[in-house]
Amino acid sequence: MMRNACLGAPVNKSGLQRRVCPKQHAFSYIKTHGYRKRQHHILNATRRTTGVVVVDHGSKRALANDMLDGVVDLYKTLIEEDMMEEGSTERDIVAVQKAHMEIARPSILDAVRVCVQEYGAQDIVVAPYFLSKGRHIQEDIPYLVKEAEAIVREESGLEVACVVAEPLGVDRDVVEVVKRRVDSCLDNKTDYQKLL
């Protein structure tokens, strides 16, 4: 089943509240479950759409894997906020999915399939939720992404293109999170002493 090009669940035409922006490329901002969803009315059939797959390592612990849901949800929110403020149509992101490199599902292949088969994405950006350029970033993830690209191309008959983004790396925003965690630990002596 092809889903409408939007961030989130498949679009249900009944009961949606729509507000159309007066732009050349028309958009509907759909409010469902308290969140604003964006539906792209495809006016130009040649326009390529993008899916984003946020991938972490994967764990045997369900709680560790579930944490990625929060990352994906926050990323979706940031995209929606950018679109509301700027009204930008340049980055036509139609789906954001999570994936685990190994151990747990969904795999990278699973996530790429969803982006292409259910949301109609043609370009896939795989964003590693990893800190540095270790072996997983330089070898394992590129291999799995290339493999997923080939399989989904064959299955869909579409010219799907996958790329891998840089890992988090050395970034002021990341270091500020480290500082906040250290400050919080030092401020709360009880939690701090549990670690000793």
Side-chain angles (χ1 to χ4, degrees), residues 7 19 21 23 27 29 36-38 52 73-93 96:
L7 293 178
R19 179 168 59 101
C21 289
K23 283 195 167 289
F27 288 87
Y29 290 90
R36 285 193 175 280
K37 306 291 183 186
R38 166 181 162 265
V52 175
D73 288 343
L74 182 55
Y75 180 65
K76 287 180 182 179
T77 301
L78 292 174
I79 292 172
E80 295 293 343
E81 287 174 357
D82 284 350
M83 287 177 43
M84 296 269 206
E85 289 172 10
E86 301 168 13
S88 173
T89 62
E90 281 181 23
R91 293 189 178 122
D92 202 6
I93 297 175
V96 180

Side-chain angles (χ1 to χ4, degrees), residues 118-134:
E118 297 187 30
Y119 290 92
Q122 297 155 294
D123 297 324
I124 310 295
V125 178
V126 177
Y129 195 62
F130 285 70
L131 190 58
S132 61
K133 285 186 178 180

Side-chain angles (χ1 to χ4, degrees), residues 139-153:
E139 298 175 17
D140 300 334
I141 289 177
Y143 173 81
L144 293 169
V145 169
K146 232 20 178 177
E147 182 181 57
E149 179 187 74
I151 291 171
V152 173
R153 275 185 171 195

Side-chain angles (χ1 to χ4, degrees), residues 1-8 48-55 72 75-76 92-99 106-127 148 152 155-156 158 160-163:
M1 175 185 78
M2 178 69 74
R3 304 188 190 198
N4 266 330
C6 69
L7 293 178
R48 290 183 69 85
T49 52
T50 302
V52 175
V53 175
V54 182
V55 59
V72 167
Y75 180 65
K76 287 180 182 179
D92 202 6
I93 297 175
V94 297
V96 180
Q97 297 292 309
K98 75 170 184 178
S107 65
I108 291 173
L109 174 57
D110 294 333
V112 172
R113 270 192 181 125
V114 170
C115 289
V116 174
Q117 295 176 0
E118 297 187 30
Y119 290 92
Q122 297 155 294
D123 297 324
I124 310 295
V125 178
V126 177
V152 173
E155 290 174 348
S156 66
L158 299 173
V160 176
C162 298
V163 294

Side-chain angles (χ1 to χ4, degrees), residues 34-64:
Y35 296 94
R36 285 193 175 280
K37 306 291 183 186
R38 166 181 162 265
Q39 179 184 10
H40 181 68
H41 296 277
I42 302 175
L43 301 180
N44 183 353
T46 63
R47 185 179 186 85
R48 290 183 69 85
T49 52
T50 302
V52 175
V53 175
V54 182
V55 59
D56 68 2
H57 185 279
S59 172
K60 292 179 181 176
R61 294 177 180 269
L63 282 175

